[in-house]
């Protein structure tokens, strides 16, 4: 499904205006496709619950597909094994809709991200469920889009401020990229 998500993956690190030495967290990294877009002057901790996904991501790393230094770890996003305020910024793509408790995960991401930092969320998102929002929708299942999550509500519940919103993956998953600031 990589081409379906490629547009969002290529854009999601750009709003961070990365500086040399920045330390970034990517949650639910999957097979690590998004990491090919990161410059060599930052370091990234990339976590996923699925070890088979991480095996594929590490293979990309062995093949030299990443410029940045990436540390992959198997971890549950509901209980991030990182210190408070450890990361300059965090990103999470197509994952908040597949975890059991999206609010718990988003609050964990906030906890480990510096208060000056940004959190970039990329996900299929509609204000109302609609036909694509139904869990049994075969297209939704095929793309692994997970359940319908009201992202605006979720972000508001967590006390984050939305700085910008952009449509990405327009012709495939109709995702949005939400750039959020920790107050
Ligand atoms: C639809 S995939 C998206 C992968 C990648 N971010 C991308 O955009 O290509 C969702 C990912 O979330 C991971 N995931 C699901 N539940 C998780 C959890 N509780 N903790 C960490 N990762 C989780 C899955 O293993 C999967 O790799």
């Amino acid at each position: 499904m990589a081409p379906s998500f490629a547009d969002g993956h290529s854009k999601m690190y750009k709003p961070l205006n990365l500086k040399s030495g920045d330390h970034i967290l990517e949650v639910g990294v999957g097979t690590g496709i998004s990491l090919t877009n990161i410059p060599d002057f930052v370091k990234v901790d990339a976590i996923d619950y699925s070890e088979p996904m991480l095996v594929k991501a590490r293979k990309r790393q062995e093949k030299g597909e990443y410029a940045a230094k990436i540390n992959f770890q198997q971890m549950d996003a509901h209980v991030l094994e990182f210190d408070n305020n450890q990361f300059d910024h965090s990103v999470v793509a197509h994952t908040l809709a597949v975890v059991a408790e999206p609010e718990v995960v988003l609050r964990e991401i906030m906890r480990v991200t510096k208060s000056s930092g940004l959190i970039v969320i990329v996900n299929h998102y509609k204000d109302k469920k609609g036909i694509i929002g139904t869990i049994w929708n075969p297209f939704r299942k095929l793309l692994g889009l997970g359940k319908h999550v009201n992202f605006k509500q979720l972000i508001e519940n967590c006390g984050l401020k939305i700085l910008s919103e952009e449509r990405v993956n327009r012709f495939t998953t109709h995702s949005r990229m939400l750039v959020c600031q920790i107050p």
Side-chain angles (χ1 to χ4, degrees):
M1 291 303 158
S4 312
F5 296 134
D7 177 48
H9 284 154
S10 68
K11 290 177 177 161
M12 63 194 230
Y13 276 86
K14 295 214 168 94
L16 303 179
N17 293 318
L18 293 166
K19 298 188 303 296
S20 181
D22 274 353
H23 191 187
I24 313 298
L25 171 67
E26 180 159 345
V27 172
V29 68
T31 60
I33 316 165
S34 55
L35 300 171
T36 54
N37 300 293
I38 309 177
D40 60 0
F41 54 79
V42 299
K43 58 177 179 173
V44 180
D45 273 81
I47 71 108
D48 201 285
Y49 194 69
S50 161
E51 189 56 37
M53 289 285 199
L54 292 172
V55 166
K56 290 185 182 174
R58 287 194 191 100
K59 279 199 181 130
R60 288 184 201 278
Q61 191 174 37
E62 282 162 21
K63 284 195 235 159
E65 291 186 24
Y66 305 135
K69 186 173 177 292
I70 321 277
N71 177 35
F72 292 103
Q73 288 187 72
Q74 194 277 329
M75 201 180 289
D76 183 356
H78 296 84
V79 197
L80 291 175
E81 296 160 37
F82 298 112
D83 294 335
N84 295 352
N85 309 313
Q86 191 172 332
F87 297 95
D88 292 294
H89 308 287
S90 295
V91 300
V92 55
H94 310 289
T95 294
L96 284 171
V98 302
V99 297
E101 298 287 346
E103 188 166 331
V104 171
V105 170
L106 188 51
R107 286 186 187 278
E108 272 294 88
I109 295 172
M110 290 170 67
R111 178 183 67 76
V112 301
T113 308
K114 290 177 183 168
S115 53
S116 55
L118 299 176
I119 297 174
V120 176
I121 300 170
V122 176
N123 222 100
H124 165 79
Y125 174 61
K126 283 191 149 206
D127 296 310
K128 293 207 169 85
K129 270 190 187 178
I131 185 73
I132 192 90
T134 52
I135 193 70
W136 47 264
N137 182 292
F139 176 67
R140 194 175 176 83
K141 272 196 170 173
L142 181 71
L143 291 175
L145 294 175
K147 59 191 170 219
H148 173 80
V149 172
N150 185 331
F151 278 89
K152 294 266 176 69
Q153 190 65 58
L154 172 68
I155 289 165
E156 193 181 311
N157 290 351
C158 291
L160 286 168
K161 182 179 171 197
I162 298 175
L163 294 183
S164 68
E165 178 178 354
E166 184 185 340
R167 287 184 185 273
V168 293
N169 310 329
R170 282 183 100 85
F171 304 110
T172 50
T173 59
H174 307 282
S175 308
R176 297 189 209 184
M177 179 168 74
L178 296 154
V179 179
C180 306
Q181 188 176 42
I182 304 172

